[in-house]
């Protein structure tokens, strides 16, 4: 078949194929995830070979050039189809395509041998291309991408147009089939076929590149959707974190904030602004752990901004003028940089630790209370060990001084010295009682008490002992509920607080005011320690305030006022136990005490006690006995001791006749007290048998079960205690009156003594007259 196409057209086709081959190879290398360009690049290479074979067939045998050139040309189109099927994710018919290409090559060779005309070979090539185009059109028609993509629909239309033009090109070949080469315009048809092939290549390459672009766009869209999904998931995760997260730009503008941060700052969704207003930033106050304002260079944001380094575990407090409660946070901050290392964002993460700080403050408070309780326990243990021996000494001093005073004639000069000895001994006795009251070892006789009456009696005592220039006021609410308390100990509390208020005035004119009222259950002014008890019982809290306009106290003094032996007075002016006693008594009654004071602004002590729901029944005889045992506590004994110390009492007459004396059995391990009590009671007309050994005293009762009217025994003795002796003696004679004497009386001792049959427990250092009154009351008279 003669072919006369110009060399220029061949070169154009070769150049076009090479350009597309390089373009498709580049796409394959840069976008390996996109299927198809590799096959299309290979098709372009085969296209170059086919064009060269067909264009240079004049230098090679016609059969080889025509058959091989046409087969390679169709193979390049098959590779284009393979690339499309890979793009559409379809299987490749490799075996069928290979067999078809071999058959095509054989058919071209046979046609060339049997006919020298070019029409049959050209018609076969066109027919094969039409079949291949129809296969392409079928794949495009059945695939779903054709319905979704405009590029695929355009490619489908191009394929249909290609098939139609090829069919039109096939008609003249069929018409001129029998004509000879001189008659049939085969050269013109060959040129038309090559030009059509060139245009087809150009349009196909453009559409292939468009398909690649479309696939890249799809991948980009999928990547963007995945990124959006991940961002949404990350945003949802951050929003639901318990930790607060805030992201700032370096210019302090806010990028994002999560729910925990909004909750911490008290923001609503509408209050979150990209840029923080300057007024809002000024209203915020960030505090250090010590409560001082945090400086700018200490804030986590500015530390990261200045150093570009992470900041971890910074504790700060935050408050605003519109947000009264102080909130605490544990904050960390770190920089977020771009690819060039520049600072893009500052990320702040913080956890609300307000409850933890409150728990720590409560723990510190509890630790302080525990330390105070341990001090009280230690002092109580010391008081229990010292009180017995020390009270024995004081009792001997007081008793012997009283006996010596009675032995002297009126007007003797030594009376004054004996008076000073008694006064000093009584001060020592009160010091022991203060220690016992502070350590809550003093026995308590609880009963319904009207604080209004106790306050009135205390103010009368205070008025007699303070200067007239000091104004003493008392204000009591109406219908005050009673409290369950020991009135004597409450009097001691009021006396101590009133005396301290008088000392705070430092001799100047001033004012001391007692205010008494009650707070209903659930009132926010009730201390947290007492509020649950009042709420559970449904009772009010009785509040007692003692206020003065004296010198006041600073914070360091306020922190130590309840410590035992701490005093701001001069040496010799105070023991430092007054407020310690107050604290011990108030806590023993289940109450709470608060102090409000400042230098130059006076001091206010506020006491809270739980009220009684209803007055209980009258107390039994044990309560009366307990009350008798504690008559000598500080409030009642203060005035009595003062009178006793400054008044010379006449010698009392005997309490019994010498004809029928009552027989008293006295037991004590202290020889001095045995000597004192023997002299004291014998002077009163009693017959006294005194022992220092428990076994001898029990044996004396066993020999004479009815020979004694009263057994008076010390409680704290080595070996058998006085309570053990009482049990042994009462087992011999249950009708015998038994009394115990001790300088360290507890509620446990009172109850144990009552259970054992002891009639009364006597405070060992009580005045001589009180001691003799107990003996006279308990010793049963001897029948005449």
């Amino acid at each position: 078949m003669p072919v006369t196409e110009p060399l220029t057209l061949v070169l154009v086709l070769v150049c076009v194929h090479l350009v597309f081959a390089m373009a498709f190879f580049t796409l394959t290398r840069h976008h390996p995830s996109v299927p198809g360009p590799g096959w299309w690049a290979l098709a372009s290479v085969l296209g170059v070979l086919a064009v060269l074979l067909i264009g240079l067939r004049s230098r090679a045998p016609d059969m080889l050039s025509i058959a091989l050139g046409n087969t390679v040309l169709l193979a390049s189109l098959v590779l284009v189809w393979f690339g499309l099927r890979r793009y559409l994710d379809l299987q490749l018919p490799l075996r069928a395509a290979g067999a078809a290409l071999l058959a095509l090559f054989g058919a071209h060779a046979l046609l060339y041998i049997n006919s020298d005309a070019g029409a049959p070979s050209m018609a076969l090539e066109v027919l094969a291309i039409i079949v291949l185009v129809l296969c392409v059109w079928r794949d495009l028609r059945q695939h779903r991408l054709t319905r979704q993509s405009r590029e695929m629909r355009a490619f489908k239309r191009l394929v249909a147009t290609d098939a139609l033009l090829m069919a039109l090109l096939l008609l003249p070949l069929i018409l001129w089939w029998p004509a000879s080469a001189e008659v049939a315009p085969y050269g013109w048809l060959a040129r038309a076929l090559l030009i059509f092939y060139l245009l087809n290549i150009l349009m196909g390459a453009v559409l292939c590149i468009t398909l690649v672009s479309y696939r890249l766009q799809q991948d980009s869209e999928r990547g963007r959707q995945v990124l959006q999904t991940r961002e949404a998931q990350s945003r949802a995760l951050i929003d639901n974190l318990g930790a607060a997260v805030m992201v700032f730009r370096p210019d302090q503008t806010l990028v994002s904030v999560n729910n925990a941060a909004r909750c911490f700052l008290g923001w609503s969704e509408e209050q979150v602004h990209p840029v923080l207003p300057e007024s809002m930033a000024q209203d915020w106050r960030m505090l250090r752990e010590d409560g001082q304002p945090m400086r700018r260079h200490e804030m986590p944001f500015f530390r990261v901004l200045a150093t570009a380094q992470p900041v971890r575990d910074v504790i700060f407090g935050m408050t605003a003028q519109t947000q009264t409660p102080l909130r605490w946070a544990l904050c960390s901050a770190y920089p977020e940089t771009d690819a060039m290392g520049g600072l893009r964002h500052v990320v702040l993460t913080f956890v609300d630790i307000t409850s933890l700080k409150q728990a720590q403050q409560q723990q510190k408070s509890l630790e302080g209370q525990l330390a105070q309780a341990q001090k009280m326990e230690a002092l109580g243990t010391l008081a229990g060990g010292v009180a017995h021996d020390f009270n024995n000494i004081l009792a001997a001093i007081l008793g012997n001084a009283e006996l010596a005073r009675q032995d002297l004639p009126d007007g003797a000069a030594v009376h004054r010295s004996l008076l000073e000895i008694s006064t000093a001994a009584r001060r020592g006795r009160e010091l022991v009682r203060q220690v016992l009251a502070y350590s809550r070892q003093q026995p308590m006789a609880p009963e319904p008490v009207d604080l209004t009456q106790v306050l009135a009696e205390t103010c009368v005592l205070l008025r007699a002992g303070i200067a007239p220039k000091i104004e003493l006021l008392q204000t009591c609410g109406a219908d005050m509920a009673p409290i369950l308390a020991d009135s004597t100990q409450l009097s001691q509390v009021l006396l101590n607080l009133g005396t301290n208020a008088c000392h705070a005035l430092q001799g100047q004119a001033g004012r001391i005011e007692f205010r008494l009222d009650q707070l209903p259950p659930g009132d926010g002014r009730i201390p947290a320690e007492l509020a649950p008890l009042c709420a559970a019982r449904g009772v009010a809290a009785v509040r007692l305030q003692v206020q003065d306009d004296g010198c006041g106290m600073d914070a360091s003094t306020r922190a130590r006022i309840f410590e035992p032996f701490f005093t701001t007075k001069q040496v010799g002016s105070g023991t430092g136990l007054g407020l310690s006693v107050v604290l011990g008594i108030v806590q023993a009654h289940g109450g709470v005490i608060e102090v409000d004071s400042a230098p130059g602004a006076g001091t206010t002590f506020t006491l809270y006690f739980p009220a009684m729901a209803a007055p209980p029944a009258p107390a039994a005889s044990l309560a009366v006995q307990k009350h008798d045992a504690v008559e000598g506590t500080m409030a009642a004994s203060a005035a009595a001791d003062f009178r006793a110390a400054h008044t010379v009492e006449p010698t009392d007459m005997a309490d019994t006749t010498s004809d029928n004396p009552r027989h008293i059995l006295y037991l004590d391990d202290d020889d001095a007290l045995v000597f004192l009590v023997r002299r004291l009671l014998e002077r009163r007309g009693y017959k006294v048998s005194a022992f220092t050994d428990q076994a001898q005293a029990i044996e004396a009762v066993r020999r004479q079960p009815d020979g004694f009217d009263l057994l008076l025994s010390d409680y704290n003795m080595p070996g058998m205690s006085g309570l053990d002796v009482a049990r042994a003696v009462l087992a011999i004679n249950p009708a015998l009156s038994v009394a115990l004497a001790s300088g360290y009386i507890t509620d446990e001792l009172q109850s144990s003594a009552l259970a054992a049959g002891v009639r009364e427990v006597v405070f060992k250092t009580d005045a001589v007259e009180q001691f003799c009154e107990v003996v006279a009351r308990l010793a049963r008279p001897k029948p005449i």
Side-chain angles (χ1 to χ4, degrees):
M1 176 179 72
V3 179
T4 58
E5 65 274 8
L7 184 60
T8 303
L9 185 58
V10 174
L11 293 177
V12 170
L13 289 174
V14 170
C15 291
V16 169
H17 277 297
L18 289 176
V19 169
F20 287 147
M22 294 175 60
F24 287 132
F25 273 124
T26 303
L27 288 175
T28 302
R29 187 173 66 254
H30 288 88
H31 304 286
S33 61
V34 179
W39 292 97
W40 297 332
L42 187 57
S44 299
V45 173
L46 288 181
V48 172
L49 181 58
V51 170
L52 291 176
L53 288 174
I54 296 174
L56 301 177
R57 66 178 180 273
S58 59
R59 299 184 181 182
D62 288 341
M63 180 185 71
L64 180 61
S65 62
I66 293 175
L68 186 58
N70 290 337
T71 303
V72 173
L73 180 62
L74 187 63
S76 67
L77 297 178
V78 170
L79 291 180
V80 173
W81 177 46
F82 279 4
L84 180 62
R85 290 185 66 87
R86 288 292 297 158
Y87 184 89
L88 299 177
D89 199 17
L90 299 175
Q91 292 184 351
L92 301 181
L94 297 177
R95 293 182 179 179
L101 291 175
L102 290 176
L104 181 65
F105 179 77
H108 277 297
L110 290 175
L111 288 177
Y112 180 79
I113 294 172
N114 297 328
S115 175
D116 59 350
S121 180
M122 192 176 298
L124 180 61
E125 184 73 12
V126 172
L127 184 61
I129 293 175
I130 292 175
V131 171
L132 183 60
V133 170
L134 291 177
C135 290
V136 172
W137 184 81
R138 181 201 61 188
D139 292 341
L140 292 174
R141 184 173 179 275
Q142 294 177 353
H143 203 274
R144 55 181 178 84
L145 285 179
T146 308
R147 297 187 294 272
Q148 299 174 358
S149 171
R150 292 180 300 175
E151 290 81 357
M152 297 299 294
R153 289 195 294 270
F155 194 67
K156 179 182 175 182
R157 287 193 291 269
L158 176 62
V159 170
T161 305
D162 216 5
L164 180 60
L165 292 178
M166 295 298 290
L168 293 177
L169 188 60
L170 185 60
L171 289 177
L173 293 175
I174 296 174
L175 293 176
W176 293 331
W177 187 299
S180 62
E182 290 80 6
V183 179
Y186 296 120
W188 177 81
L189 287 175
R191 293 188 186 92
L193 183 59
L194 288 176
I195 293 173
F196 175 74
Y197 176 67
L198 175 62
L199 295 176
N200 196 19
I201 288 174
L202 292 174
M203 296 179 63
V206 171
L207 285 177
C208 287
I209 294 175
T210 304
L211 291 178
V212 172
S213 301
Y214 173 70
R215 176 57 65 89
L216 294 176
Q217 181 181 357
Q218 278 188 320
D219 292 344
S220 175
E221 182 66 21
R222 281 194 295 269
R224 187 179 64 84
Q225 292 177 356
V226 170
L227 182 60
Q228 289 179 347
T229 302
R230 291 180 179 176
E231 288 180 351
Q233 292 174 349
S234 300
R235 191 179 303 110
L237 177 62
I238 293 175
D239 283 341
N240 292 313
L241 279 178
V245 179
M246 300 182 73
V247 181
F248 290 91
R249 296 186 182 91
D251 60 356
Q252 303 184 41
T253 56
L254 184 62
V255 178
S256 64
V257 56
N258 69 344
N259 292 331
R262 284 193 292 267
C263 181
F264 181 85
L265 298 172
W267 287 352
S268 62
E269 292 285 350
E270 294 77 14
Q271 289 177 314
V272 179
H273 301 286
V275 181
L276 296 180
E278 186 67 22
S279 60
M280 181 181 295
Q282 292 177 354
D283 288 343
W284 287 0
R285 287 200 313 147
M286 296 181 67
L287 306 178
R288 301 197 302 253
E289 285 191 85
D290 58 1
Q292 298 300 319
M294 184 175 285
R295 297 181 179 179
R296 182 185 179 93
H297 68 274
E298 297 174 331
M299 298 180 181
F301 174 83
F302 294 104
R303 288 174 61 181
V304 173
L305 204 62
T307 63
Q309 297 296 323
V311 177
R312 302 185 186 280
D313 300 335
V314 178
I315 297 178
F316 67 87
M318 179 173 286
T319 183
Q321 295 180 359
T322 58
Q323 182 183 356
T324 53
L326 175 63
R327 304 188 67 85
W328 291 92
L330 177 65
C331 178
S332 296
Y334 62 91
E336 181 185 345
T337 57
D338 54 21
M340 303 298 294
L343 183 63
R344 294 180 63 245
H345 300 122
V346 176
V347 182
L348 298 181
T349 62
F350 49 93
V351 181
D352 189 353
I353 59 171
T354 304
S355 57
L356 179 60
K357 292 288 289 186
Q358 293 174 350
Q360 289 177 346
Q361 293 175 357
Q362 184 178 8
Q363 181 181 3
K364 290 181 180 179
S365 175
L366 292 176
E367 288 175 352
Q369 295 177 15
L370 177 60
Q372 185 71 16
Q374 290 173 342
K375 290 180 183 178
M376 293 174 64
E377 182 181 1
L379 189 57
T381 303
L382 176 65
V386 172
H388 174 260
D389 294 334
F390 194 58
N391 282 332
N392 284 349
I393 297 172
L394 293 177
I397 294 173
L398 286 170
N400 283 288
E402 180 68 19
L403 292 176
R405 189 169 57 85
Q406 293 176 7
D407 290 340
L408 291 173
D410 295 340
V414 77
H415 272 292
R416 181 66 181 174
S417 298
L418 292 174
L419 181 61
E420 293 300 326
I421 292 173
S422 298
T423 301
R426 287 188 176 90
R427 288 176 180 171
R429 181 185 66 182
E430 295 309 319
L431 179 60
V432 174
R433 286 176 176 172
Q434 286 180 350
V435 173
L436 292 174
Y438 164 74
S439 60
R440 287 181 262 177
Q441 301 291 346
Q442 193 78 339
M444 187 174 67
E447 58 183 355
V449 173
D450 183 4
L451 266 180
T452 304
Q453 182 179 356
V454 175
L455 179 59
E457 295 173 355
T458 304
C459 287
V460 171
L461 289 176
L462 281 174
R463 182 73 274 175
I466 62 177
K469 58 184 177 181
I470 298 177
E471 184 180 5
L472 184 63
L473 301 176
Q474 55 176 318
T475 305
C476 299
D479 300 327
M480 293 297 301
I483 65 174
L484 187 63
D486 188 321
S487 59
T488 304
Q489 293 192 5
L490 289 183
S491 297
Q492 175 65 53
V493 169
L494 296 180
L495 280 173
N496 282 7
L497 292 177
T499 303
N500 275 7
C502 181
H503 292 164
L505 295 175
Q506 300 177 342
Q508 304 296 322
R511 174 177 177 175
I512 302 174
E513 182 177 1
F514 291 84
R515 292 193 296 269
L516 184 63
D517 60 359
Q518 61 186 20
L519 304 176
D523 194 302
R525 292 171 292 179
I526 301 177
E529 301 93 326
L530 192 61
L533 178 63
C534 294
R537 296 181 180 177
V539 296
V542 177
R543 181 175 64 175
L544 174 63
Q545 294 178 297
V546 182
Q547 184 177 14
D548 65 72
D549 54 358
C551 59
M553 297 177 288
D554 56 17
S556 60
T557 303
R558 286 199 311 270
R560 300 188 59 192
I561 57 174
F562 294 115
E563 293 183 6
F565 306 111
F566 173 77
T567 180
T568 57
K569 302 174 185 176
Q570 296 179 355
V571 178
S573 300
T575 62
L577 283 172
L579 291 178
S580 301
V581 169
V582 169
L583 177 65
I585 294 176
V586 170
Q587 291 182 345
H589 285 78
V592 177
I593 185 170
E594 294 179 348
V595 184
D596 184 17
S597 181
T603 302
T604 302
F605 286 89
T606 306
L607 283 63
Y608 300 88
F609 298 97
M612 291 182 60
S621 60
L622 175 61
V624 177
Q625 292 175 1
K626 288 184 180 180
H627 181 68
D628 292 339
V630 295
E631 280 183 343
T633 51
M634 296 169 61
S637 64
D641 290 343
F642 181 82
R643 291 192 300 269
H646 295 81
T647 305
V648 178
E649 297 180 359
T651 303
D652 294 328
M653 297 180 63
D655 295 329
T656 182
T657 62
S658 59
D659 296 336
N660 189 23
R662 301 172 206 170
H663 195 178
I664 309 299
L665 176 61
Y666 182 72
L667 174 63
D668 201 308
D669 63 329
D670 193 320
D671 293 333
L673 283 179
V674 170
F675 176 76
L676 171 66
V677 173
R678 180 192 293 275
R679 289 183 60 199
L680 177 64
L681 295 180
E682 287 179 348
R683 182 170 295 192
R684 297 297 180 102
Y686 294 102
K687 180 182 178 181
V688 180
S689 296
F691 298 92
T692 58
D693 184 83
Q694 297 95 318
Q696 294 177 1
I698 296 172
E699 184 62 28
V701 175
R702 184 176 289 111
R703 287 196 305 266
Q704 297 179 345
D706 298 326
F708 299 96
D709 298 295
L710 173 66
L711 169 62
L712 181 59
S713 173
D714 184 23
Y715 169 70
N716 194 359
M717 297 182 293
M720 295 181 65
S721 68
L723 194 58
D724 296 331
V725 173
R727 292 191 183 100
V729 169
L730 290 174
I732 299 172
N733 183 8
L736 179 62
S737 296
V738 179
L740 294 180
S742 177
Y744 178 54
I745 303 176
T746 63
D747 291 334
E748 182 182 0
L749 174 59
Q750 291 274 16
S751 59
S752 300
L754 179 63
V758 176
R759 296 281 298 279
E760 191 163 342
V761 180
V762 184
F763 198 69
K764 207 169 191 179
T765 56
D766 280 341
V768 173
E769 290 302 319
Q770 297 175 3
F771 195 83
C772 292
E773 287 175 3
V774 172
V775 173
R777 185 170 65 251
L778 297 180
R780 59 184 178 86
K782 287 183 71 71
I784 300 176

